[in-house]
Amino acid sequence: MRRLLPLLLLPVLPLSAQSAFVSVIRQPHATAAEFTTPVTEIELKDPGSLSRVHLGVGLGLRHWDDGTDAFRFIVDANATAEDVFLGFGAVAEARSGDGGYIGPRLRVGWAFHPNWALSLEGEHLEKPFADGTSPKRHSALGLVLTVRF
């Protein structure tokens, strides 16, 4: 228990060092915005380079070009090393009038500033309990601007 307690307090104590992410995504048929708050964040400083790992959860909203909206819940892990930005996450989405979808997403891009990244996103969401008469999945590529606050 003595070793477990400091590990449980680790994400809570250094809140000043942790930062939230805001992402704006443009996909071929939709625009989305997401806000991710950190569960934990690790920053490594080597001489001449900076590496950062961000584990977080967040909420988002996607507006489809046909006028429907979708509410999103996100769990993600982002890493920045030198000029490379990588992100992997799981998305649960509830689209109005269409039910829920879940699936993974991957982001790969360029961190052109310590707090800014431009990346390409690919996601594949599936409807877990579809009846077979409606589309059970949708995949999308998108361009993402991520800002760290």
Side-chain angles (χ1 to χ4, degrees):
M1 183 67 179
R2 288 184 192 174
R3 291 182 184 177
L4 182 62
L5 189 58
L7 290 175
L8 292 174
L9 292 175
L10 183 65
V12 177
L13 293 178
L15 286 177
S16 63
Q18 296 183 1
S19 54
F21 278 28
V22 174
S23 298
V24 178
I25 306 122
R26 180 60 190 157
Q27 296 173 340
H29 301 288
T31 302
E34 298 174 353
F35 176 78
T36 305
T37 185
V39 172
T40 190
E41 192 166 284
I42 302 165
E43 190 170 301
L44 305 171
K45 292 182 181 178
D46 293 330
S49 69
L50 174 69
S51 300
R52 182 178 295 122
V53 176
H54 168 95
L55 303 172
V57 295
L59 299 173
L61 184 67
R62 184 188 335 212
H63 178 74
W64 292 86
D65 292 342
D66 66 2
T68 59
D69 294 323
F71 180 74
R72 297 163 63 93
F73 179 74
I74 299 104
V75 177
D76 68 351
N78 298 306
T80 306
E82 300 280 328
D83 294 340
V84 177
F85 177 82
L86 296 172
F88 180 76
V91 177
E93 179 177 283
R95 187 172 177 182
S96 58
D98 194 20
Y101 290 84
I102 58 173
R105 76 163 177 214
L106 177 66
R107 291 180 177 171
V108 177
W110 171 47
F112 58 90
H113 184 274
N115 295 332
W116 293 73
L118 188 62
S119 58
L120 184 64
E121 172 187 81
E123 70 179 17
H124 178 74
L125 303 178
E126 293 197 10
K127 193 182 268 190
F129 303 107
D131 59 3
T133 60
S134 63
K136 296 190 272 186
R137 66 180 63 97
H138 61 85
S139 299
L141 290 176
L143 189 60
V144 183
L145 177 64
T146 303
V147 179
R148 177 179 175 258
F149 290 97

